[in-house]
Amino acid sequence: MHTVVVGTSGVTASDVLAVVRGGARVELSEEAVAALAASREIVDALAAKPDPVYGVSTGFGALATRHISPDLRAQLQRNIVRSHAAGMGPRVEREVVRALMFLRLKTLCSGHTGVRPEVAQTMADVLNAGITPIVHEYGSLGCSGDLAPLSHCALALMGEGEAEGPDGSVRPAGELLAAHGIRPVELREKEGLALLNGTDGMLGMLVMALADLDLLYRSADVTAALSLEALLGTDKVLAPELHAIRPHPGQAASAANMLAVLEGSGLTGHHQDDAPRVQDAYSVRCAPQVAGAGRDTLAHARLVAERELAAAVDNPVVLPDGRVESNGNFHGAPVAYVLDFLAIAVADLASITERRTDRLLDKNRSHGLPPFLADDAGVDSGLMIAQYTQAALVSELKRLAVPASADSIPSSAMQEDHVSMGWSAARKLRTAVDGLTRVVAVELYAAARAVELREGLTPAPATRAVLKALREAGVPGPGPDRYLAPDLAAAETFVRDGRLVEAVERVTGPLR
């Protein structure tokens, strides 16, 4: 099994995906263990002094003014975890919880948190055992860390609360730890706080969204090309020299992908035939501009994620010169902004995708296709309601595009008086990514049927490869009305698992 070694300098997006989705094992590097031990010595020295140090010998948040005596400090660390494990609502997904733990482990291993090596090792052991703490939807304001979600993870390390075992059964966390030979941690000074103070949930969801959207944007280029082909549009607008004079890299990549899909098509260029038109509609002609802007947004979000993956987010932090200093690095604004920005791009890509689908179904704008791509229009309704479903999804995505990070709500007796809402931004982006997958799947279903209805014209080799793979996946071609929901679900899976892009790339080579 693949192993990810966590050192002191952070992790990569590939590391995150390998652990949270691929089940890779986690190991601590010798350098990380040494850094953990060195920073712990600093914390122990400060704990032995009479002067109060935030997070070591004081209360937390608005209660930071109280100095905690040595005999109460272990209880203090246990109590912060127990009291902060106050999430409510549905359980979040297993991959999100694994991201929470793995990214918190990444920061622990930086040597800036002051926890003992055995705490970090226990977290690695829990990940490797496939134990997943139960974490709830609500409880993070995206500042002072994803507090409630991370607290539920820390609670499981202590052998308390509930967790899901590798077999999917939910049991008391203590039982699961014992079954895998893992001793619960007994927290000492600063360790409870260090387990809670990070942007790990929102960052993990950002990394996963970036991976999903990378595939979806390539998928959307493919379906846009199929729609252009089905509408007998012109591919001249995709010429590289046209996109070079407006040098946005995402736009050029999207146009190049569409051009690659359309190479050798016998359907393009017929826009001057029976019903001459000078230009294709914006939803067709401007597809690279819209998808390209989204790609450039992905690039910006990826840069933010890379910086955050290299960061050590905790408060207070242990510095190399021996100081333990408070800071505000746990504020989720940098991550929250790009999560919201991506949701806006997703909504717009879905919107232009739906407009192409609607055009395919409208006999007044589809340039010779039957109404709603029906077999016997009037007797058959064709894909009329498939477009309704797509439109409902687009409307939902527009609502999800409202920024969470533009909101703030004070907490902790006004000590934490401005928060990022980054966790909320991440949660709604996950919903938006799912919605976009379905929107693209409906365009694929409609465009594939429309291409097949263009009798006497030969589609591009890449298009033929898509049609063949789609039919082999159990998605049928044109014909009388049938129970449509299973067909759309199969098309969704075809997009989601990457088979659409794979079918094209077997002909065109890698898409950009």
Side-chain angles (χ1 to χ4, degrees), residues 226 444 448 451-452 459-477 494 499-500 503-504 506-507:
L226 265 62
L444 170 64
V451 167
E452 289 183 308
T463 301
R464 296 200 298 273
V466 168
L467 294 174
K468 181 175 184 293
L470 193 60
R471 302 312 173 221
E472 289 173 351
V475 181
F494 188 76
R499 280 179 289 166
L500 170 61
V504 169
R506 283 195 290 269
V507 176

Side-chain angles (χ1 to χ4, degrees), residues 401-417:
V402 176
S405 58
D407 187 24
S408 177
I409 190 163
S411 57
S412 194
M414 293 300 288
Q415 176 70 8
E416 298 166 11
D417 58 351

Side-chain angles (χ1 to χ4, degrees), residues 140-146 198-199 202 329-340 403-411 416-426 428:
S140 173
L141 299 179
C143 203
S144 295
D146 288 319
T199 55
M202 63 183 91
N329 285 342
F330 49 70
H331 200 288
V335 182
Y337 291 171
V338 293
L339 288 163
D340 279 335
S405 58
D407 187 24
S408 177
I409 190 163
S411 57
E416 298 166 11
D417 58 351
H418 181 83
V419 296
S420 77
M421 303 308 296
W423 172 274
S424 299
K428 69 184 183 65

Side-chain angles (χ1 to χ4, degrees), residues 495-511:
V495 172
R496 189 183 299 276
D497 65 17
R499 280 179 289 166
L500 170 61
V501 171
E502 288 172 5
V504 169
E505 290 185 332
R506 283 195 290 269
V507 176
T508 64
L511 297 178

